[in-house]
Amino acid sequence: MKVFKFGGASINSTDRISNVANILRDHPGEKILVIISAMGKTTNALEKVTDAFFEGRKDEALTLFKEVKKNHLNTLKYLVSIQWKKAEDALADFFTEVEWLLHDKPVRGYDYYYDQIVCSGELMSTAMISAYLNEVGIANQWVDVRDIIRTDNQFRDAVIDWTITDEKVKSIIEPLFAETDLIITQGFIGATDENESTTLGREGSDYSAAVFANLLNAESQTIWKDVEAVMSADPKQFAHVEALPALSYREVVEMAYYGAQVIHPKTIKPLQNKQIPLHVRCFLDPQLPGTVISSNPAHTLPPILVLKEQQVLMQLSSRDFSFVEEKPISMLHAMFDEIKIRPNLSQHGAVSLLCVLDDKPEKIERLALAASEIFDVQLEKNLTLLTIRHYTAEAIATHTSGKQIVLEQKTPETLQVLMR
Ligand code: ASP
Ligand code: MG
């Protein structure tokens, strides 16, 4: 039994959806649970619907949602013919659920409405793809994942109840695999015990797939992406990047921590707990080996680079030359928590503290204001933070030459340099 995950980019056109069918055809007779995201940029579009609705612009919300509907109906027309009516009915049910809600006035919090509206993206995409696959002879069963993944009611960042979810996997998913080789279901969403829809945080489908892999004791999980493999750096930022054939779970968590946008960080733990290998493969060229992530990869790694632009250096100095000790530091951490911002690098001195942060202007302003109650605050903007894992003298020289180094931090494995 395997778990596959296809993200929004892998299903953003009819060609790409038929490519999903080709990939599945390469695995005849295997039992596969397929987790799928919303099509293309649907989640972003549904966020706009939610904003308009919540701000009382009902007509705009309905118009924006109509666009989303139209996109899906157009795609469906190209994909499905014999079963078209049945598939259209399934989509219409999801449309109706959202439209009913849009006709009301918001009386609950934003996050609640966000989840009720945004979850429709994956429900629509999976219903469509399931119908298409059945029509082209790839027999499958569609499952509403909200009947399986049980969460609490922290909308937009819901926490999975593993015990109940495990019971549902055993009582619903496992018996279904006796009837079919292929189950198609949604990533990113779940439901509370009151049947309210929830979401697990943006880009959460990788994590959903890992939850299923864990509970089903899958032999592997594969994330199909538009890149050749996990790369040593973002090819949009660096000229020379290499594919990484093998990585450890630990390395992936480290890379995510420093800001590499590879895999949703929550994905790793459920896989590592059961030693399930995670494959990252290219849906554009399924012959490529991709990357395998496991406990003990037998490769030495080249330098891995993560570049973050638009960084702010915040220097916090004590006003009276007193040491910066526990009390002001814990007050500062409480502020980070409150404002929901996390420094990408911090360094302590005797009477000052340096923090490097993403430049989210509204948050930086709030933080600077709050911190100025206890510190003198100085800001410098427009800096670049480079992290090099497994650094070499050559990599450091190449990537810092001609730059002014503002701050540097080094462990045996990781170098971080803030540059001007
Ligand atoms: N569709 C959701 C998002 O765009 C979840 C995912 O793609 O993983 O964030
Ligand atoms: Mg996505």
Side-chain angles (χ1 to χ4, degrees), residues 3-22:
V3 175
F4 280 5
K5 181 253 168 173
F6 291 95
S10 65
I11 52 162
N12 68 3
S13 66
T14 50
D15 277 354
R16 288 201 170 171
I17 294 173
S18 67
N19 183 52
V20 169
N22 291 335

Side-chain angles (χ1 to χ4, degrees), residues 5 7-8 37-38 43-44 122 188 201-206:
K5 181 253 168 173
S37 300
T43 304
N44 294 0
E122 347 291 282
F188 176 57
R202 283 302 306 261
E203 303 301 327
S205 300
D206 293 352

Side-chain angles (χ1 to χ4, degrees), residues 254-261 306-314 332-333 336 340-347 353-360 363-364 367 380 383-389 407-411 414-419:
E254 295 276 350
M255 287 168 71
Y257 175 83
Y258 290 110
Q261 276 165 9
V306 183
L307 191 69
K308 284 187 146 240
E309 317 254 25
Q310 299 291 323
Q311 299 293 294
V312 182
L313 175 66
M314 192 176 282
L332 186 65
H333 280 274
F336 290 155
K340 294 200 165 53
I341 192 164
R342 178 176 72 84
N344 299 320
L345 173 66
S346 58
Q347 213 165 71
L353 198 99
L354 300 166
C355 299
V356 180
L357 304 141
D358 290 339
D359 193 358
K360 300 196 178 110
K363 291 191 176 196
I364 296 291
L367 181 63
E380 181 176 350
L383 300 168
T384 302
L385 178 64
L386 173 69
T387 302
I388 313 181
R389 297 264 306 149
L407 197 66
E408 185 175 305
Q409 208 165 79
K410 222 179 206 177
T411 70
T414 309
L415 170 74
Q416 289 193 283
V417 270
L418 185 68
M419 302 182 293

